[in-house]
Amino acid sequence: MTVKCCQVVAAQPDAACLVSVSVPAAANVSQVIELARQSPGGDRLPQDFTAIAIFGQVVDADHVPADGDRVELLRPLALDPREQRRRRVLAGRRRRR
């Protein structure tokens, strides 16, 4: 049986989690994540992620990653980037007064 190595990563506000795992060559992204959760350190991977990406490109759960791919578990944004910018602009205006 041919195997491939993949990494599963998740960034949390307080820390990042990285799990390397060897999986069958035909394994899709959801299978890679499941096998990573069963590996040492995999219990730190979040259950509540909003999307899956490979090197920053969003993919479906049935996508088959290549050998050496980094599977990223994306979490929801804490604040909408537009709202964050509005708050920074308002804070800057208040400081100038």
Side-chain angles (χ1 to χ4, degrees):
M1 173 170 47
T2 309
V3 296
K4 60 185 171 187
C5 294
C6 293
Q7 293 180 330
V8 179
V9 296
Q12 299 295 330
D14 54 343
C17 178
L18 173 99
V19 179
S20 295
V21 63
S22 294
V23 297
N28 62 28
V29 171
S30 61
Q31 293 167 331
V32 170
I33 294 168
E34 191 57 40
L35 290 170
R37 284 203 173 105
Q38 297 170 9
S39 298
D43 57 335
R44 297 180 307 162
L45 291 170
Q47 297 290 333
D48 59 337
F49 55 89
T50 57
I52 304 166
I54 294 181
F55 293 116
Q57 298 294 315
V58 176
V59 297
D60 292 326
D62 61 350
H63 176 80
V64 178
D67 184 36
D69 276 356
R70 182 183 67 220
V71 177
E72 302 160 351
L73 304 180
L74 306 177
R75 61 186 169 93
L77 294 174
L79 189 62
D80 178 47
R82 290 174 290 182
E83 179 61 28
Q84 197 170 21
R85 173 152 169 60
R86 281 186 204 105
R87 290 181 184 188
R88 281 196 313 265
V89 168
L90 286 175
R93 288 179 184 164
R94 288 184 195 130
R95 277 185 261 147
R96 283 187 250 151
R97 290 182 185 176

